[in-house]
Amino acid sequence: MDIRISGHQVATGDALKDHVSDRLQGIASKHFERAISAEVTFGKGPHDVGFRCDIVVHVMKGLVLKGSHQAQEAHPAFDAAAAKIETQLRRYMRRLKDRHASEAVAAQEDLGYDNAGYTLFQEPAQSDEDVGDAPLIIAETRVDIPDASVSDAVMMLDLRNTAALMFRNAGTGSYNMVYRRGDGTIGWVEPQREVAQQPAAG
């Protein structure tokens, strides 16, 4: 597995890199015959205190795992983020190994998450000018929309550790969205189906 380790305004020494590589290789060999790649990024924690670790693992076409954690030291931040990924894997491993579920997740040869584009907008400096009621744009994400059942879309949402996922419902062909609600439950948005009009009686 190709593992890329980087630091934003923090140093990543050889000991940390070896620890990250060994742990991720162990997770990959335990759960998958072959994983594609992993990206591990270390940065400063809130208010420049401690460390934050973000992990993105591409284990197969269309299946991306994400985990992140903050801690006072870099090693515990990584270990906790990796533990979150392992917890996600254990929860869904039976379904991922099931032939039908695997085919549903990887139904299209190119689900497109490898060529997702992320554009981050830097927060403007404070000024005395009134910026009005328009909210600041934090991030814009461009991804291809997968075909999936509702249950598989929920699984993808959980494995990516993201707030929302748009998908094309494999049963109806319409665009749907699943999202994580404030109370931790999952919401499902489905467009209202058009009702065919009956011909007028002659």
Side-chain angles (χ1 to χ4, degrees):
M1 177 170 63
D2 177 34
I3 300 175
R4 285 175 283 178
I5 304 168
S6 60
H8 289 298
Q9 299 179 337
V10 297
T12 55
D14 291 339
L16 178 60
K17 290 181 178 179
D18 290 343
H19 177 66
V20 168
S21 296
D22 291 345
R23 179 76 185 275
L24 290 182
Q25 291 287 7
I27 292 173
S29 61
K30 179 179 179 181
H31 296 287
F32 296 97
E33 293 181 3
R34 183 180 66 88
I36 300 172
S37 65
E39 294 133 28
V40 181
T41 306
F42 291 92
K44 292 183 178 180
H47 311 295
D48 290 340
V49 177
F51 294 84
R52 175 183 174 90
C53 177
D54 295 288
I55 304 173
V56 180
V57 182
H58 301 261
V59 293
M60 62 180 70
K61 276 290 185 181
L63 182 57
V64 180
L65 310 179
K66 293 183 180 180
S68 63
H69 194 77
Q70 297 173 356
Q72 290 300 312
E73 302 292 337
H75 279 76
F78 166 75
D79 288 337
K84 290 179 181 179
I85 286 179
E86 279 206 282
T87 299
Q88 294 169 346
L89 281 173
R90 281 195 296 271
R91 183 180 304 154
Y92 289 108
M93 208 60 232
R94 183 175 297 173
R95 288 190 59 199
L96 290 173
K97 288 185 175 179
D98 179 77
R99 180 177 178 181
H100 176 71
S102 296
E103 288 176 354
V105 173
Q108 292 180 337
E109 183 63 24
D110 185 12
L111 285 179
Y113 290 98
D114 288 339
N115 45 1
Y118 301 92
T119 305
L120 300 180
F121 295 86
Q122 184 174 2
E123 186 174 351
Q126 295 286 344
S127 69
D128 295 333
E129 297 179 7
D130 184 12
V131 297
D133 295 330
L136 292 175
I137 298 174
I138 302 302
E140 179 184 273
T141 303
R142 173 180 49 80
V143 296
D144 291 339
I145 299 173
D147 285 341
S149 66
V150 176
S151 61
D152 283 337
V154 172
M155 178 179 70
M156 292 182 201
L157 175 80
D158 201 29
L159 289 174
R160 285 184 184 85
N161 194 25
T162 189
L165 173 72
M166 178 174 280
F167 65 102
R168 190 181 358 244
N169 191 315
T172 65
S174 62
Y175 290 100
N176 289 196
M177 183 178 73
V178 289
Y179 64 97
R180 196 175 308 279
R181 296 160 55 94
D183 60 3
T185 59
I186 302 296
W188 171 25
V189 178
E190 183 180 33
Q192 185 174 0
R193 299 182 188 178
E194 294 183 4
V195 179
Q197 293 184 350
Q198 296 295 329

